[in-house]
């Protein structure tokens, strides 16, 4: 059931549907910048960056998700986020993310010849996002 | 004719084999159910992504489309095949069907007109033995593929395609119909073909940041889910084939055991009859 004040949100990964429910406001970061989606938004497709996603529900609560890129398909009454991977705060291993962050930073600082800069940057972005989202446990 | 002792040993050994095939059958059928579920759970993602791709593609005209490196159609001088098979045997004709399909596909082609990327140990061993040009091999995940494996394979083939090493990439895998039927199919991965329908009709859509940027991001993701789906289909097919093979092996062992038992009982009874007649003969001689 979707009233005028909420919009149905589905977050889909290749393995499962991570979230399916009503949202009153969605904040995501696209490749071009941050964008907020309210119910009855015009049809839109956005490419997302590796950045935390905020979902406000009608009861005033906020949920955070770690979204690893992907796309957001916006329809007036339904928003679908398809992403290769999405994690909820409770499932994030903070120690592991911390180690990944240090490793990626070290790699980027040293700039050895045989490393893949793009890959290290992406790894750093993923680790930073995980650490960020894990705060909302 | 073998002795009673030989038969006893034989029966025992067949029984042991039957226990093994029975256990493998049960393991395969339990895992098959999970693999099927997993293959099914990728459907919403693939469907949604295909839907977005269609919407985005319809906003880009055919001329601009050719500018994307993953869609570049070139005269085919060299084809790369991705052959998806199993790591382990004991799955009936599963791997040999895949290999047969591949051999048929490259029939009449020169060595320098194709090469092959294998997934799974069995096709790799087989094709290496027959000296086919193997470019790269992946293994150790044929019955439990993850999305990351698909990402690695896609990265590998797209890099070669963009570098111009190959002009076409074709994937050969087994499509899972049900646990008794699996069909080998092939699908062209690169260059990417997009659905032709309703081009230029969705002016209503907004794009963030713009069609081109989204399209560039979308194509690799589309390939990844296509390959991931193929890996999952192949995993389900492998387990299905193994289950069927192990079911018939267990049945055959059962038949063998009962015929051996019959022979053993005949032999035993013949021995008893023989002994009785000897005793009776001896007793008669004493009278």
């Amino acid at each position: 059931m979707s009233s005028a004040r909420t919009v149905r949100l589905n977050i889909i990964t290749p393995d499962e549907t991570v979230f399916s429910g009503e949202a009153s406001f969605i904040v995501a970061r696209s490749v071009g910048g941050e964008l907020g989606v309210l119910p009855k938004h015009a049809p839109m497709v956005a490419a997302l960056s590796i950045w935390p996603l905020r979902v406000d529900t009608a009861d005033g609560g906020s949920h955070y998700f770690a979204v690893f890129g992907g796309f957001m398909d916006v329809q007036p009454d339904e928003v679908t986020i398809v992403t290769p991977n999405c994690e909820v705060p409770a499932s994030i291993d903070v120690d592991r993310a911390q180690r990944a962050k240090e490793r990626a930073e070290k790699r980027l600082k040293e700039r050895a010849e045989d490393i893949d800069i793009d890959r290290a940057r992406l790894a750093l972005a993923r680790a930073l996002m995980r650490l960020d989202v894990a705060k909302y446990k | 004719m073998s002795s009673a002792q030989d038969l006893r040993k034989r029966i025992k050994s067949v029984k042991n084999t039957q226990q093994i095939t029975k256990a493998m059958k049960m393991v395969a059928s339990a895992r098959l159910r999970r693999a099927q579920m997993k293959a099914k759970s990728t459907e919403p993602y693939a469907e949604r992504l295909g839907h977005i791709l269609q919407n985005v593609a319809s906003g880009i005209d055919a001329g601009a489309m050719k500018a994307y490196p993953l869609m570049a159609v070139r005269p085919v001088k060299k084809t790369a095949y991705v052959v998806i098979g199993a790591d382990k045997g004991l799955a009936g004709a599963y791997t040999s069907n895949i290999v047969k399909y591949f051999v048929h596909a490259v029939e009449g082609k020169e060595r320098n007109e194709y090469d092959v990327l294998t997934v799974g140990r069995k096709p790799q061993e087989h094709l290496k033995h027959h000296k086919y040009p193997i470019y790269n091999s992946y293994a150790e995940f044929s019955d439990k593929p993850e999305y990351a494996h698909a990402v690695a394979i896609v990265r590998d083939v797209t890099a070669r395609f963009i570098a111009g090493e190959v002009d076409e990439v074709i994937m050969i895998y087994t499509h899972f119909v049900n646990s008794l039927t699996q069909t080998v199919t092939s699908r062209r991965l690169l260059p990417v073909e997009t659905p032709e329908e309703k081009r230029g009709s969705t002016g209503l859509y907004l794009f963030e940041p713009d069609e081109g940027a989204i399209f560039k991001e979308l194509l690799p993701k589309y390939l990844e889910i296509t390959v991931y789906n193929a890996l999952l289909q192949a995993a389900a097919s492998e387990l299905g084939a193994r289950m069927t093979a192990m079911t018939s092996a267990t049945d055959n062992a059962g038949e063998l055991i009962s015929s051996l038992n019959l022979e053993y009982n005949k032999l035993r009874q013949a021995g008893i009859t023989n002994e009785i007649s000897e005793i009776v003969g001896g007793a008669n001689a004493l009278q």
Side-chain angles (χ1 to χ4, degrees), chain A residues 12-15 30-33 35 41-47 71 73 75 78 80 82-84 119, chain B residues 38 41-42 44-45 48-49 51-52 55-56 147 155 204-209 214 217-218 221 225 228:
Chain A
I12 303 172
T13 70
D15 289 317
S30 85
V31 179
L35 56 94
H41 195 287
M44 174 179 76
V45 175
F71 306 91
D73 183 5
Q75 300 287 339
E78 190 183 43
T80 312
V82 285
T83 170
R119 252 171 105 172
Chain B
K38 217 174 164 190
S41 63
T42 66
Y45 183 86
R48 227 43 232 207
L49 209 61
H51 181 75
I52 295 177
N55 278 333
V56 177
Y147 192 72
R155 195 184 295 141
L204 289 171
Y205 256 93
L206 299 170
F207 295 102
E208 174 62 40
I214 292 179
E217 293 271 321
L218 200 53
K221 294 283 177 295
I225 189 65
Y228 185 51

Side-chain angles (χ1 to χ4, degrees), chain A residues 1-20:
Chain A
M1 194 199 71
S2 174
S3 73
R5 300 191 307 116
T6 60
V7 58
R8 178 142 208 101
L9 171 69
N10 292 307
I11 303 178
I12 303 172
T13 70
D15 289 317
E16 58 182 338
T17 300
V18 178
F19 179 87
S20 179

